[in-house]
Amino acid sequence: MATVELRFSALPEHVRTARLVAAAVARRAGVDEAVLDEVRLAVGEACSRAVGLHQNVGITAPVKVVLVEEEKQFSIEVGDEAPRHAPGDRAPGAAGDPDVEAEEDEMGLAVISGLVDDVEVTAGEHGGSIRMTWPTTPPIAVLP
């Protein structure tokens, strides 16, 4: 099982780098070429969401992206450290309209769910993560 871990400051300009790294590692892991655009888009959306959550709450911790190559699947987990609260409950120092933020969050998750068949979203008081998984194909052996 090969693992690549990427951490970046919660700034929008770093999302592109995360997308490029994810696509390169996915290609190497054996994710079908036809799916690589979906990988890029889903990772970009998940990373943008994490950056937005960090910025809305004023968290300076980096966004974490873990890419894992397993025998028959490839997964990417994008983690944030933004605490989640019950609806109507605001985090100290949180800015912005909570209804608009919730709507943007739902829209981002809908986009990811439309791009990836296997998605797992978790959230709690210490942050959250989006885990996306794609099947891989074993490399074709070339005989001499």
Side-chain angles (χ1 to χ4, degrees):
M1 173 171 73
T3 301
V4 174
E5 186 173 316
L6 172 68
R7 292 175 186 261
F8 64 90
S9 300
L11 298 169
E13 53 266 29
H14 297 307
V15 172
R16 181 173 187 268
T17 302
R19 289 176 57 203
L20 293 171
V21 169
V25 176
R27 178 179 284 119
R28 184 189 164 288
V31 173
D32 192 301
E33 285 288 326
V35 180
L36 290 180
D37 281 339
E38 294 171 9
V39 171
R40 267 191 289 277
L41 291 170
V43 168
E45 192 64 43
C47 288
S48 292
R49 178 180 177 270
V51 166
L53 289 168
H54 276 218
Q55 289 182 339
N56 287 340
V57 185
I59 295 172
T60 58
V63 172
K64 181 178 175 183
V65 182
V66 179
L67 306 102
V68 180
E69 176 186 351
E70 296 177 295
E71 189 174 326
K72 295 184 180 183
Q73 69 179 17
F74 174 70
S75 63
I76 300 175
E77 184 171 342
V78 178
D80 64 75
E81 294 187 20
R84 306 307 195 283
H85 300 278
D89 195 14
R90 294 296 285 154
D97 182 344
D99 293 332
V100 170
E101 290 172 10
E103 188 175 312
E104 289 174 356
D105 190 44
E106 300 250 345
M107 184 74 107
L109 291 174
V111 169
I112 293 167
S113 294
L115 292 167
V116 185
D117 291 335
D118 188 1
V119 181
E120 181 183 328
V121 180
T122 59
E125 64 183 53
H126 299 293
S129 71
I130 298 176
R131 186 172 195 273
M132 304 165 282
T133 304
W134 294 269
T136 58
T137 54
I140 298 172
V142 179
L143 299 174

